[in-house]
Amino acid sequence: MIDGAVLASLLGLVAGTLLGVAFVSWLRASLRRLMAQRRAPLLVWASSLLRVAAMASAFLLMAAWGPWTLAGALPGFLIGRTLGMRWEGGP
């Protein structure tokens, strides 16, 4: 049987990985729009603020679920960010 802490960590790892991929995808979409518009500073500022606020909210929600969920989400986010960069053609 899987312990509750292990299950929470695994769920956090999966959720963090999905958040990392979403973060990179959102960043790429913002950069593509940035290249096509003239109001670049406003777009960069607003998109960055919204992206960081969304990720912070997701991590706060996972922290409310418990410390083990958050402990799994943090490395999952780094893994997801790396995977997202590879899939999107980043460095």
Side-chain angles (χ1 to χ4, degrees), residues 55-65 70:
M55 295 302 136
S57 298
F59 277 110
L60 284 173
L61 179 64
M62 285 187 272
W65 289 340
L70 185 62

Side-chain angles (χ1 to χ4, degrees), residues 30-79:
S30 296
L31 289 174
R32 286 186 190 120
R33 279 190 306 245
L34 174 66
M35 298 299 180
Q37 292 186 355
R38 292 180 184 232
R39 296 176 303 209
L42 180 60
L43 178 65
V44 169
W45 181 82
S47 178
S48 295
L49 184 64
L50 189 59
R51 190 173 46 254
V52 170
M55 295 302 136
S57 298
F59 277 110
L60 284 173
L61 179 64
M62 285 187 272
W65 289 340
W68 291 110
T69 307
L70 185 62
L74 292 173
F77 182 79
L78 296 175
I79 291 168

Side-chain angles (χ1 to χ4, degrees), residues 12-41:
L13 185 70
V14 170
T17 302
L18 293 174
L19 280 174
V21 170
F23 182 83
V24 172
S25 298
W26 194 350
L27 178 61
R28 294 275 183 198
S30 296
L31 289 174
R32 286 186 190 120
R33 279 190 306 245
L34 174 66
M35 298 299 180
Q37 292 186 355
R38 292 180 184 232
R39 296 176 303 209

